[in-house]
Amino acid sequence: MQENQEKFMEKVYNLNQGKNLKYTILTMGCQLNENDSEKIAGMLEKMSYSECKDVKEADLVIFNTCCVRENAEERLFGKIGEIKKLKESKDVILAIGGCMMQEEVMVEKIKKSYPFVNVIFGTHTLQNLPENIYKAIIENRKVKDVIDIDGEIYEGLPIKRNDNFKASVTIMYGCNNFCTYCIVPYVRGRERSREPEMILEEVKGLAKEGYKEITLLGQNVNSYVGNDKIRNFADLLNEVCKVDGIERIKFISPHPKDFTDDVIDAIANNEKICRIIHLPLQSGNTKVLKEMNRKYTKEQYLVLAEKMKERIPGVVFSTDIIVGFPGETDEEFEDTLDVVRKVNFEQIFMFIYSKREGTVAAAREDQVPEEQKHVRFDKLKDLYESRVDENNDKYLNTHQKLLIEGKSKNNAEMLEGRTDTNKVVVFKPREGNKIGDVVLVNITETHKWYLKGEII
Ligand code: SAH
Ligand code: SF4
Ligand code: F3S
């Protein structure tokens, strides 16, 4: 952390003494934003704010925004309206940050329509939050701290994590891919990788604190660039696997175009790496993929998935799919369904194409009508759901290693854990079982969205 920000943190801390001030953060978007919010929370706690869940109790409200799809904007405006009301009855600082604040039009809109917003910060200026909050309190200034150029990487920000047995570790920032539908490269800047030693130090620290599961994060993790010793993503995975105490390692998102053999080997050779691999497909049609600038064909994707199935026994896949990309025909959409049938994904995150101003695809005139997009979405959902039972049946009478995550939501006597393919399993605990433990169970029953098991 920069020295001057530490000073501001101390100044705000001193100002806040004896006031028992509370903060709340609303995080929208992906796990990278979640991880940023954990750092925001870390800074706020050092400034003597404590967390509250109910926004009505808060003296400081932070919205960490996402702009990957359109509906986020409506939601944000609704939330800002709520805070406006709250501000009528008490002093509340409202700070809005995250990806949406990297869009100039959005910042202008907020400044014009919601002049009571105290701080606007971008994705490259997260570390300046102490200074910005100080200015908002002491000088009652409206602060806008958004820069367009890629931010440097700031190490050593304080962090308050959401869980105490699983943790996310960002390994790289930004994206260079410019998929034609996607706003992320515009709001997160170019790819910047963290020093591998810094990443390993963080993971070792987490292991010491008792964390069991690590998720390595980046928009494109397999284009991670290290140094002479730990050169690339495969090397990094191998090193993270050596950290004692860490039982499980996940990563999101890899890009199929960069899924090299050494990464496949690293997964195959390390049982700690989860056997569910997120492999974003987006579309199953080669022409659409080309227009999306994804840099792989339907066949290349299928060959990659097959190769991984051969080399990593028991591997399953999850994916992201967009329906209704501009110009997509019914026939081209059939290719997406075909890939879904062939790969048999365990989990699909399905999205209706959403036009993002400034991207290449948004300028196209052949946008797919809304109703058609919805018809395709429903078809994809039906296909996926029709396969869930069959996919679950594969687990019956198999032995699965579970990481215990907590109490079952429906039955207080039962605990819940996840397999290394991300399946939720409910089971009756033995004495001494606790959150974060790894146990072996036999799967005895399947239900649509969870399995039941018995400890062996
Ligand atoms: N870097 C990651 C994903 C980042 S965004 C990757 O490449 O996999 C998460 C998902 O949102 C994307 O995979 C994509 O499926 C979806 N998405 C991105 N832009 C979108 C848009 N304009 N409309 C609909 N879905 C979109
Ligand atoms: Fe967006 Fe593509 Fe980058 Fe993922 S890889 S963040 S989809 S541009
Ligand atoms: Fe959204 Fe930004 Fe993530 S746009 S998906 S929060 S990188």
Side-chain angles (χ1 to χ4, degrees):
M1 179 138 206
Q2 291 162 297
E3 234 174 78
N4 70 326
Q5 292 304 326
E6 281 187 5
K7 284 196 184 119
F8 279 111
M9 228 151 49
E10 207 180 310
K11 281 184 183 176
V12 179
Y13 175 89
N14 291 331
L15 281 174
N16 286 352
Q17 282 319 290
K19 294 186 184 154
N20 189 23
L21 298 181
K22 303 245 171 7
Y23 73 92
T24 191
I25 306 177
L26 173 69
T27 310
M28 304 160 197
C30 65
Q31 292 191 45
L32 285 154
N33 256 19
E34 292 284 350
N35 194 224
D36 281 349
S37 287
E38 291 182 322
K39 291 171 193 160
I40 295 173
M43 290 189 268
L44 297 181
E45 302 245 332
K46 286 239 157 163
M47 294 189 272
S48 171
Y49 289 98
S50 55
E51 194 182 6
C52 67
K53 295 280 175 224
D54 185 356
V55 76
K56 290 194 195 79
E57 287 175 27
D59 304 283
L60 170 59
V61 177
I62 309 251
F63 293 149
N64 193 6
T65 62
C66 166
C67 54
V68 78
R69 283 169 292 274
E70 201 172 5
N71 50 15
E73 281 153 32
E74 293 314 310
R75 184 160 174 239
L76 176 69
F77 296 144
K79 292 281 166 197
I80 299 178
E82 275 176 39
I83 306 303
K84 184 176 184 220
K85 275 219 185 98
L86 195 62
K87 268 176 170 278
E88 286 163 11
S89 60
K90 67 188 273 198
D91 248 353
V92 187
I93 294 179
L94 173 58
I96 308 184
C99 294
M100 211 190 276
M101 297 305 107
Q102 291 295 140
E103 293 182 289
E104 223 172 294
V105 279
M106 284 305 296
V107 172
E108 287 314 312
K109 190 161 182 180
I110 288 182
K111 277 168 57 185
K112 203 164 137 240
S113 314
Y114 308 96
F116 52 87
V117 173
N118 304 83
V119 179
I120 294 177
F121 61 102
T123 56
H124 305 304
T125 47
L126 189 75
Q127 69 290 339
N128 298 345
L129 199 64
E131 179 177 355
N132 294 334
I133 289 185
Y134 179 78
K135 284 180 182 161
I137 302 175
I138 210 83
E139 298 165 16
N140 201 15
R141 280 231 310 254
K142 299 279 180 290
V143 186
K144 178 194 152 205
D145 186 16
V146 181
I147 53 169
D148 238 356
I149 49 165
D150 298 342
E152 290 169 50
I153 295 179
Y154 289 102
E155 294 290 350
L157 292 187
I159 186 158
K160 179 179 182 256
R161 298 192 180 265
N162 293 333
D163 277 294
N164 46 22
F165 66 97
K166 54 180 178 181
S168 298
V169 174
T170 300
I171 64 165
M172 60 187 297
Y173 298 87
C175 177
N176 292 351
N177 289 323
F178 289 95
C179 301
T180 56
Y181 49 81
C182 185
I183 193 86
V184 171
Y186 301 89
V187 296
R188 285 270 174 178
R190 297 295 67 73
E191 287 172 6
R192 280 115 48 219
S193 296
R194 279 177 75 194
E195 283 297 321
E197 286 73 18
M198 290 292 178
I199 297 169
L200 288 170
E201 201 181 296
E202 186 174 345
V203 174
K204 284 176 192 158
L206 287 163
K208 264 201 199 119
E209 287 175 49
Y211 283 85
K212 300 286 193 247
E213 182 180 297
I214 298 290
T215 304
L216 303 176
L217 295 181
Q219 288 299 355
N220 196 10
V221 285
N222 45 4
S223 59
Y224 174 82
V225 182
N227 56 22
D228 288 351
K229 278 180 262 149
I230 300 167
R231 296 158 303 171
N232 50 30
F233 186 55
D235 286 355
L236 183 68
L237 273 179
N238 284 322
E239 290 305 312
V240 172
C241 288
K242 287 183 199 153
V243 177
D244 281 338
I246 300 298
E247 305 271 358
R248 255 187 200 176
I249 295 149
K250 298 179 174 176
F251 54 87
I252 48 165
S253 288
H255 195 303
K257 78 175 166 61
D258 298 322
F259 223 114
T260 45
D261 284 355
D262 55 354
V263 175
I264 300 178
D265 289 341
I267 304 168
N269 296 337
N270 288 297
E271 267 196 24
K272 285 184 178 182
I273 301 176
C274 276
R275 264 39 190 163
I276 185 160
I277 306 291
H278 189 64
L279 199 59
L281 170 67
Q282 313 300 1
S283 162
N285 177 268
T286 297
K287 178 170 157 274
V288 175
L289 285 167
K290 188 161 187 353
E291 290 173 7
M292 287 177 160
N293 194 28
R294 290 292 291 178
K295 301 201 168 72
Y296 51 84
T297 62
K298 174 185 183 185
E299 288 68 33
Q300 283 167 335
Y301 185 96
L302 287 171
V303 166
L304 174 63
E306 267 319 302
K307 182 158 82 177
M308 285 164 76
K309 281 182 185 171
E310 262 166 42
R311 294 225 208 142
I312 312 165
V315 77
V316 297
F317 297 98
S318 61
T319 199
D320 288 354
I321 293 176
I322 298 176
V323 302
F325 180 78
E328 183 189 62
T329 63
D330 282 337
E331 220 180 345
E332 286 160 358
F333 173 64
E334 284 300 318
D335 274 330
T336 299
L337 299 179
D338 188 44
V339 176
V340 169
R341 282 186 206 103
K342 289 189 167 125
V343 179
N344 211 8
F345 297 105
E346 288 255 343
Q347 246 178 321
I348 306 182
F349 300 91
M350 304 167 212
F351 305 106
I352 289 179
Y353 169 75
S354 168
K355 210 168 148 180
R356 302 283 66 203
E357 282 317 320
T359 61
V360 173
R364 286 180 61 159
E365 293 193 344
D366 51 353
Q367 301 288 327
V368 175
E370 281 308 309
E371 322 82 69
Q372 211 161 359
K373 289 192 217 169
H374 281 93
V375 170
R376 286 182 199 158
F377 185 89
D378 290 345
K379 259 194 178 170
L380 176 60
K381 191 161 160 268
D382 288 348
L383 172 63
Y384 168 67
E385 286 185 1
S386 73
R387 305 199 136 216
V388 170
D389 289 341
E390 201 182 309
N391 273 336
N392 282 345
D393 285 347
K394 288 185 314 218
Y395 286 89
L396 260 184
N397 301 317
T398 62
H399 293 176
Q400 298 287 332
K401 233 164 70 176
L402 297 187
L403 180 69
I404 305 179
E405 298 210 334
K407 287 212 166 81
S408 157
K409 277 157 210 104
N410 303 322
N411 184 341
E413 282 171 24
M414 308 285 264
L415 286 183
E416 208 173 271
R418 279 181 198 265
T419 65
D420 68 358
T421 53
N422 209 33
K423 280 275 173 204
V424 174
V425 181
V426 172
F427 65 98
K428 198 167 176 196
R430 295 240 173 100
E431 222 179 289
N433 285 161
K434 56 184 187 313
I435 292 172
D437 284 354
V438 175
V439 289
L440 201 61
V441 298
N442 180 40
I443 303 299
T444 53
E445 270 177 48
T446 64
H447 297 262
K448 196 135 198 137
W449 305 120
Y450 70 96
L451 310 173
K452 262 192 175 169
E454 277 169 11
I455 292 203
I456 41 181

